[in-house]
Amino acid sequence: MSEQPALAVATHGLTKTFGAQVVVDNLDLVVPYGAVYGFLGPNGSGKTTTIRMILGLIEPTAGDRELLGHDRPIAALPRIGALVEGPAFHPYLSGRANLVRLDAVDATADPRTTRRRVDAALDRVGLMAAAAKTYRQYSLGMRQRLAIAAALLAPRDLLVLDEPTNGLDPQGTREVRNLIASLAADGATVVVSSHLLSEIEQICSHLGVISAGTMVAQGSVEEIRARQQTTAVVHTADPEQAARVLSEQGLTQIESGRDTARGVADDDHPPEQLVAALVAAGVGVRGFALERPSLEDLFVELTGEGFDVAH
Amino acid sequence: MSPTEHDPTDSEVSTRPPRPSSNLLNQGSDAGPSSTPDLSPQDLSSSKQEPARPTRSLSTRGTSASKRPGRFLASELRLIIGRRRNQAGLLVLAAVPIIMAIAGAVWGSSGRGADLMSLAQGNGVLVPLAALGVEIAMFLPLAIAMLSGDAIAGEANQGTLRYLLTVPVGRTRILAVKYLSLCIGALIGVGTIVVAGLIAGGLLFGLGPLTTLSGTQLDLGNTVMRLLVGVAYLTCALGAIAAVGLFVSTLTEQPIAATIAVMIFVIVCTILGAIEQLAWLHPWLITSHLMAFADVLRDPLPLDNMLRGLGIFASYAVVFWLSAWARFTTKDITN
């Protein structure tokens, strides 16, 4: 029991087919301990199916899963707080009664501390004032908060939050983001899925991008950023000559257009050195820029479509 | 791992910044005896402690599991009883013996003489039995059909099933608790009819020694015992229907569809039971054995009919419970 598993969540060749349709295809998820893992992909790309497989709601067609060192989800689930595809509670029970219900069915929960833990969870998501209202009366934002509170009923090592900001207003989105950041600061590993990069980009340490059931990019945010190439763009009346100079300087993927030349630069090519070389070679430089695509651009490129196209 | 791993000065804290164990709700759970300084290692691993490793914490949390095994069942019963619709259903069940007693008291015998209701006018004890005879054909199966629709299909429809499963609650445990709560619901339904019947019958006709269909007299203690046998028998019959309902409930995500399917099952069985050419089939139908409970009015109590009925009920319960289990434990929860 003393062996520390290296990864909080790891899947190997995880695959799910519904009939002839391959929804998740050979997915290798790598979530290190302590990471805030942003699981990104357009709607319908297989995020929720993957999350359901991780949590044991759906049996994979092939492949295996490892959670907190266990290969059976149910063994790890007591240490996992989960939000799957939106909140779901008994409509005619109050928010508090719903949490008490979830605690009562948890064989590992201590009934003597139920009240304290329910109150702490409600307090953490700011629902204390509405605790006695029936779930039916809750707004979508309150329902989302209650679902997050349910995920916080017991101490958790891993939080799996599927689209936690769905249906929240911008302020609610920011609050959820802050909440996730504070949970991560307490040491929990967080897997948070979204179809909107911008909603979770700031808090993620790791990203996994899924498109049509396949992982198209995965790693720490730095690793993914480093994959993006910086392109030097020279505006000039003599693009041929400029292209030659860029080539001599060691840039790759040289292209020249009607009045521009561009090449992929790495860290060995400081812009001042490139400009000096161009000028020394007699190229009339009208403009010079280093272009680096944003993460958002990268994801649009990776997933082949805008993030809300499938919305 | 040594038991001192709880020590915050543990060197691993600094070597592995992202600790796998969080203290999300630490403030709320660190009170109690675990704050005393001289603890034995066992005390340290109590569920209130924040363990440093998930694997260890799992095992320590597990120790508290056996403390309140009935919490899930109690919560389930609270859900069933707390629901307005079910309360209204109980009122309907209770209304039948009351209406029957009042009708009997006001308008007297139907003249046919031998039916239970005519007998009941001499003795209020017979009112609950007469009411059970009326309600076991339709109302009680309908009540069980509604409850079993809620059991799995209702939770699936609401989406609460996926959150039960991620708590986690084992699927077999969910089925067992759901089935047990259906059977208790059946007992509550039958019991409500009996209690309402006894009150209404007692007020209007008085409760006296029971004259059996065989002509003998039973004292009150014996009569109550006979009533309890009838209640137990019908609860078992409804338990068999509940197993059918539980199975149907695992097949659909629409609670109403499950309820209707169970009612169709009961009605089809009743119809088959009425077709003389299918007499060979009748012993195998749940509905053929329902009225055997009226044997409690005979003396000495003949058990063979009821035992045969119990055998059929048990067979249905086992077959459909296992079908429900086979279905539910392999089902993908996609809603």
Side-chain angles (χ1 to χ4, degrees):
Chain A
M1 292 295 267
S2 64
E3 204 172 304
Q4 179 70 64
L7 297 172
V9 183
T11 70
H12 310 286
L14 201 66
T15 300
K16 182 69 187 180
T17 56
F18 290 118
Q21 196 194 357
V22 182
V23 180
V24 174
D25 190 6
N26 207 14
L27 205 70
D28 295 333
L29 210 64
V30 179
V31 182
Y33 271 111
V36 176
Y37 184 98
F39 191 33
L40 290 158
N43 285 317
S45 54
K47 293 189 303 288
T48 298
T49 303
T50 304
I51 284 175
R52 281 176 182 271
M53 282 194 278
I54 291 173
L55 297 173
L57 293 171
I58 292 181
E59 230 9 68
T61 310
D64 51 63
R65 315 153 266 193
E66 202 180 308
L67 283 132
L68 304 173
H70 299 271
D71 47 13
R72 284 169 54 249
I74 197 158
L77 278 170
R79 301 297 294 179
I80 299 177
L83 172 63
V84 192
E85 226 177 323
F89 292 93
H90 293 280
Y92 45 89
L93 293 184
S94 70
R96 184 194 302 279
N98 266 300
L99 294 190
V100 171
R101 152 86 174 161
L102 281 175
D103 198 69
V105 304
D106 185 353
T108 63
D110 185 346
R112 289 166 301 184
T113 58
T114 298
R115 197 171 172 90
R116 246 179 311 169
R117 284 180 293 110
V118 165
D119 282 353
L122 285 168
D123 194 40
R124 184 129 197 193
V125 298
L127 266 187
M128 256 327 212
K133 274 192 185 174
T134 62
Y135 178 69
R136 190 200 300 271
Q137 294 169 279
Y138 278 19
S139 68
L140 183 52
M142 291 159 82
R143 292 175 177 198
Q144 198 79 16
R145 286 159 193 255
L146 188 64
I148 295 173
L152 303 180
L153 268 181
R156 310 293 193 190
D157 296 317
L158 172 65
L159 287 157
V160 179
L161 306 173
D162 185 19
E163 305 266 2
T165 54
N166 237 7
L168 295 183
D169 52 21
Q171 191 188 340
T173 304
R174 196 164 53 238
E175 283 172 23
V176 166
R177 241 187 340 244
N178 292 340
L179 183 60
I180 292 172
S182 75
L183 295 171
D186 287 345
T189 307
V190 183
V191 173
V192 51
S193 85
S194 181
H195 62 283
L196 292 170
L197 170 69
S198 57
E199 284 194 344
I200 55 170
E201 185 182 2
Q202 310 149 28
I203 53 167
C204 290
S205 64
H206 290 69
L207 292 172
V209 185
I210 183 175
S211 176
T214 312
M215 192 72 86
V216 287
Q218 180 170 236
S220 70
V221 171
E222 294 75 39
E223 282 166 6
I224 289 183
R225 271 192 211 282
R227 284 173 39 155
Q228 292 172 271
Q229 296 164 322
T230 308
T231 306
V233 182
V234 186
H235 293 266
T236 174
D238 189 3
E240 297 296 323
Q241 173 70 1
R244 202 171 313 120
V245 175
L246 291 180
S247 177
E248 283 164 12
Q249 289 292 316
L251 273 62
T252 54
Q253 296 174 40
I254 308 290
E255 291 169 27
S256 55
R258 207 160 51 81
D259 52 4
T260 58
R262 52 178 68 224
V264 173
D266 55 36
D267 293 343
D268 297 341
H269 304 105
E272 59 272 24
Q273 183 191 320
L274 292 174
V275 174
L278 285 163
V279 172
V283 177
V285 177
R286 292 177 185 163
F288 182 89
L290 287 177
E291 288 180 357
R292 185 166 196 164
S294 68
L295 271 182
E296 189 83 46
D297 293 336
L298 177 70
F299 288 122
V300 171
E301 185 190 315
L302 285 170
T303 58
E305 53 191 311
F307 269 91
D308 8 32
V309 165
H311 211 19
Chain B
M1 253 343 256
S2 74
T4 57
E5 67 171 305
H6 69 284
D7 189 342
T9 61
D10 187 339
S11 62
E12 259 191 65
V13 172
S14 49
T15 56
R16 183 185 282 278
R19 296 298 293 174
S21 180
S22 70
N23 295 328
L24 306 185
L25 298 171
N26 207 10
Q27 322 89 306
S29 57
D30 59 2
S34 57
S35 54
T36 26
D38 52 345
L39 287 170
S40 70
Q42 267 152 327
D43 290 328
L44 289 173
S45 62
S46 88
S47 62
K48 290 179 180 177
Q49 200 77 23
E50 281 300 323
R53 283 166 189 269
T55 44
R56 225 174 75 87
S57 60
L58 266 178
S59 59
T60 56
R61 280 161 57 87
T63 56
S64 62
S66 50
K67 279 181 198 158
R68 305 281 165 87
R71 269 187 100 202
F72 185 4
L73 182 62
S75 159
E76 199 61 35
L77 291 174
R78 262 198 302 278
L79 265 190
I80 291 178
I81 295 165
R83 186 154 181 193
R84 284 275 164 76
R85 192 202 62 193
N86 297 340
Q87 293 165 355
L90 270 187
L91 284 181
V92 171
L93 290 179
V96 172
I98 295 171
I99 292 169
M100 288 172 74
I102 292 173
V106 174
W107 290 291
S109 164
S110 63
R112 277 185 279 129
D115 65 290
L116 275 174
M117 208 48 235
S118 322
L119 289 169
Q121 283 162 57
N123 190 345
V125 173
L126 287 171
V127 172
L129 288 169
L132 284 175
V134 169
E135 299 205 55
I136 192 60
M138 226 17 169
F139 271 165
L140 282 168
L142 179 61
I144 292 304
M146 295 212 301
L147 294 185
S148 47
D150 289 344
I152 304 292
E155 296 256 18
N157 188 264
Q158 250 172 194
T160 42
L161 183 58
R162 62 175 182 265
Y163 286 109
L164 277 187
L165 290 169
T166 53
V167 159
V169 190
R171 297 191 184 199
T172 307
R173 184 164 168 245
I174 290 181
L175 273 186
V177 170
K178 290 284 184 184
Y179 183 62
L180 207 54
S181 62
L182 288 180
C183 292
I184 294 173
L187 180 63
I188 292 172
V190 174
T192 300
I193 294 171
V194 169
V195 170
L198 281 178
I199 293 172
L203 288 176
L204 292 170
F205 307 117
L207 302 175
L210 179 70
T211 308
T212 64
L213 293 174
S214 321
T216 57
Q217 286 234 325
L218 297 175
D219 60 26
L220 199 60
N222 227 328
T223 308
V224 170
M225 195 273 289
R226 296 297 184 99
L227 269 180
L228 290 179
V229 169
V231 167
Y233 181 78
L234 287 183
T235 302
C236 291
L238 293 171
I241 295 175
V244 176
L246 190 69
F247 171 59
V248 174
S249 203
T250 63
L251 297 180
T252 171
E253 284 157 8
Q254 295 300 326
I256 290 293
T259 301
I260 292 173
V262 174
M263 282 321 287
I264 289 175
F265 170 80
V266 172
I267 293 168
V268 166
C269 284
T270 308
I271 292 172
L272 293 176
I275 300 176
E276 278 175 37
Q277 288 81 352
L278 298 177
W280 53 271
L281 184 66
H282 294 172
W284 304 100
L285 300 171
I286 292 181
T287 46
S288 308
H289 298 277
L290 296 177
M291 291 311 289
F293 84 95
D295 279 357
V296 298
L297 283 174
R298 297 178 202 282
D299 198 46
L301 183 60
L303 286 174
D304 48 340
N305 280 336
M306 281 200 270
L307 287 178
R308 215 172 301 132
L310 286 176
I312 294 295
F313 301 155
S315 313
Y316 271 84
V318 168
V319 167
F320 281 94
W321 204 92
L322 288 178
S323 306
W325 181 82
R327 166 71 181 155
F328 188 58
T329 50
T330 56
K331 189 183 186 184
D332 280 347
I333 308 300
T334 53
N335 61 316

